[in-house]
Amino acid sequence: MSETDVTNADLPADGPEPQVHGQRILLDGVTKRYPGQKAPAVDDITLEIPAGEIVMLVGPSGCGKTTTLKMINRLIEPSEGRILIGDEDVTHKDPDELRRHVGYVIQGAGLFPHLTVAKNIALVPRLLGWDKARIEARVTEMLELVNLEPDQYASRYPRELSGGQQQRVGVARALAADPPVLLMDEPFGAVDPITRQRLQDELLRLQEELRKTIVFVTHDFDEAVKLGDRIAILQVGSAIAQYDTPEAILANPANEFVEGFIGHGAALKQLTLTRVRDVDLHEAAVARVGDDPAQAVAAAEELGREHVIVLDGAGRPLRWLPLRALRRPDALTRVARDENLESVSLASTLNDALDEMLTSSHGVVVVTGRRGRYEGVVRIETVMEAMQGLQSPAHEAGRVTR
Ligand SMILES: Nc1ncnc2c1ncn2[C@@H]1O[C@H](COP(=O)(O)OP(=O)(O)O)[C@@H](O)[C@H]1O
Ligand SMILES: [Mg+2]
């Protein structure tokens, strides 16, 4: 593998390399024995997590994933071994101090119900003694980062948010003090599949900007393939069955345990290795709020389309409209956002796009880029072509882009 193969970044060729803000983590012979238990929950794990990468810990329930993760921020004390973050041995560092520099996100977000969204996000900056203005600015920045309108959400309470929104706030809170390391324990386990896909896409987008070191626990192998620069497949006692890139694990499972974990349909899983940004997008007929509907109809007819995608002032897709809905001269004056609009991001996988398409009435799915702006559409034909391409020997020898 060349070095470029292990990043998620896929940056524009002319852009600068983003700075890696993460720090390397090294687990060195780490063991955890819970009192009164014969076998250790984690038995002598040694694992190096490179700076700025997302490493996924996957494995069956009870294999020691959570215990391994919680030893990194010393919510659980190791019985043996050492843990380094950067060059610092954190095994003897003050745990409270340590946790201010290690973000932690859990399933169900773990927000404090009696604190507003803003206060939840401000928690660690406050502990670090930031002044009020800096904290306020940071809360706003974090809400924007996770795609929640600050004016609308800052003063709400967690119960006034959907599960997906709570999870976003959880991520914002974990990132508020700009920690080099982010630990995530099945963070998207409690939300519906579509919300999960969006949260995954957002995490990848965030990571392009942030380049943190992220250790992410999941029992879902597809999630591991999608998000991971590397995957550690764990057996009981956190024994590492295989530690490699998703491509390498799919191509060469180390043993029967890994094969079993990958499960059936490895060919279809290859669709998870192809990103929307790797295929050619199509152009839909586009109209903007405030446009003249008659012109929008004329333009759509020229392209031979029966629907237009309407964009808001910031270029974000609002909804599909059939041409007949554009007969009234004020049809584009105000257009409500379709909350169920099927869309994927450039970081989404073709598998995600296919999922969205299957629930869509259009056979196409809208693609959004930075700040949620419209980029184009993916059509079912594109997915089918990609699948055929993936099965051809030429592809196996050549590039597998992520
Ligand atoms: N606080 C605890 N006390 C005793 N045993 C525990 C405790 N937490 C976890 N275990 C045991 O340690 C093993 C690993 O648990 P855990 O790390 O939670 O696994 P995973 O996150 O992979 O499901 C399991 O056998 C579990 O029962
Ligand atoms: Mg667990």
Side-chain angles (χ1 to χ4, degrees):
M1 296 240 80
S2 75
E3 252 175 67
T4 48
D5 286 325
V6 296
T7 70
N8 262 319
D10 274 32
L11 296 150
D14 53 352
E17 270 293 315
Q19 247 184 300
V20 172
H21 299 290
Q23 286 182 317
R24 175 203 68 151
I25 303 170
L26 179 64
L27 305 178
D28 183 15
V30 174
T31 292
K32 176 66 191 181
R33 278 183 215 93
Y34 288 110
Q37 290 203 337
K38 256 201 236 144
V42 173
D43 191 0
D44 192 21
I45 186 174
T46 294
L47 182 71
E48 178 162 4
I49 295 157
E53 292 201 1
I54 302 183
V55 167
M56 309 295 289
L57 306 183
V58 254
S61 178
C63 76
K65 303 182 294 295
T66 294
T67 303
T68 301
L69 197 71
K70 282 183 165 173
M71 287 193 286
I72 298 174
N73 65 358
R74 298 205 25 228
L75 284 169
I76 291 176
E77 293 291 339
S79 313
E80 277 167 42
R82 10 168 249 161
I83 297 173
L84 305 189
I85 298 183
D87 293 322
E88 188 182 15
D89 186 343
V90 297
T91 338
H92 303 290
K93 197 177 160 132
D94 171 41
D96 289 333
E97 165 68 11
L98 172 65
R99 268 169 239 144
R100 284 166 206 172
H101 300 285
V102 177
Y104 185 50
V105 186
I106 56 171
Q107 189 177 114
L111 301 176
F112 292 103
H114 58 288
L115 296 182
T116 62
V117 163
K119 292 225 163 96
N120 265 287
I121 296 173
L123 226 53
V124 177
R126 265 167 194 250
L127 288 170
L128 291 172
W130 294 17
D131 67 50
K132 207 170 153 231
R134 186 173 171 210
I135 292 177
E136 258 173 41
R138 187 66 178 169
V139 167
T140 303
E141 188 187 350
M142 287 296 103
L143 282 171
E144 281 169 353
L145 188 71
V146 298
N147 277 332
L148 292 172
E149 202 69 55
D151 291 345
Q152 221 181 321
Y153 292 101
S155 55
R156 289 206 197 172
Y157 286 88
R159 64 170 181 279
E160 298 168 319
L161 303 178
S162 71
Q165 289 167 338
Q166 289 181 27
Q167 213 64 53
R168 286 192 183 102
V169 175
V171 172
R173 183 175 69 177
L175 290 171
D178 205 21
V181 168
L182 190 59
L183 308 179
M184 307 183 81
D185 195 348
E186 310 216 15
F188 310 146
V191 296
D192 64 89
I194 296 291
T195 305
R196 183 177 318 138
Q197 177 237 303
R198 296 209 170 138
L199 291 169
Q200 290 168 343
D201 289 356
E202 282 173 26
L203 180 69
L204 289 174
R205 182 184 55 78
L206 278 178
Q207 176 67 349
E208 286 182 13
E209 283 179 42
L210 301 176
R211 304 299 286 305
K212 304 287 184 190
T213 306
I214 300 178
V215 190
F216 189 119
V217 163
T218 181
H219 60 258
D220 175 357
F221 186 72
D222 287 337
E223 182 165 70
V225 171
K226 175 171 178 182
L227 297 180
D229 294 305
R230 293 165 202 264
I231 301 175
I233 297 182
L234 304 180
Q235 288 174 270
V236 173
S238 270
I240 300 172
Q242 192 167 10
Y243 182 40
D244 214 327
T245 61
E247 291 85 350
I249 290 174
L250 280 171
N252 287 307
N255 55 36
E256 276 183 12
F257 176 81
V258 175
E259 270 170 27
F261 213 80
I262 292 173
H264 298 296
L268 199 61
K269 285 194 172 61
Q270 297 277 350
L271 269 189
T272 308
L273 290 174
T274 309
R275 305 277 163 181
V276 168
R277 65 161 61 89
D278 299 327
V279 300
D280 293 328
L281 301 185
H282 282 85
E283 282 301 319
V286 172
R288 282 166 201 278
V289 170
D291 279 359
D292 172 9
Q295 277 182 14
V297 170
E301 281 175 343
E302 191 147 318
L303 287 170
R305 304 293 155 77
E306 286 166 12
H307 293 80
V308 300
I309 181 78
V310 184
L311 310 184
D312 70 9
R316 295 174 296 205
L318 290 171
R319 63 164 58 238
W320 289 101
L321 284 179
L323 296 191
R324 73 185 130 67
L326 294 173
R327 285 200 197 110
R328 292 197 350 252
D330 65 348
L332 289 171
T333 312
R334 284 176 58 92
V335 179
R337 182 180 305 277
D338 174 2
E339 297 297 338
N340 299 316
L341 179 71
E342 293 85 6
S343 76
V344 291
S345 76
L346 291 168
S348 298
T349 68
L350 285 192
N351 221 0
D352 296 330
L354 185 60
D355 274 355
E356 291 272 341
M357 258 172 230
L358 294 176
T359 59
S360 144
S361 45
H362 298 282
V364 301
V365 56
V366 175
V367 179
T368 58
R370 273 189 182 271
R371 308 277 161 198
R373 283 193 287 264
Y374 168 81
E375 293 277 340
V377 295
V378 181
R379 303 197 301 191
I380 187 77
E381 291 84 349
T382 308
V383 177
M384 304 316 273
E385 277 166 24
M387 273 171 93
Q388 277 160 6
L390 284 170
Q391 281 153 11
S392 77
H395 180 82
E396 275 163 34
R399 75 183 192 127
V400 181
T401 353
R402 304 187 38 225

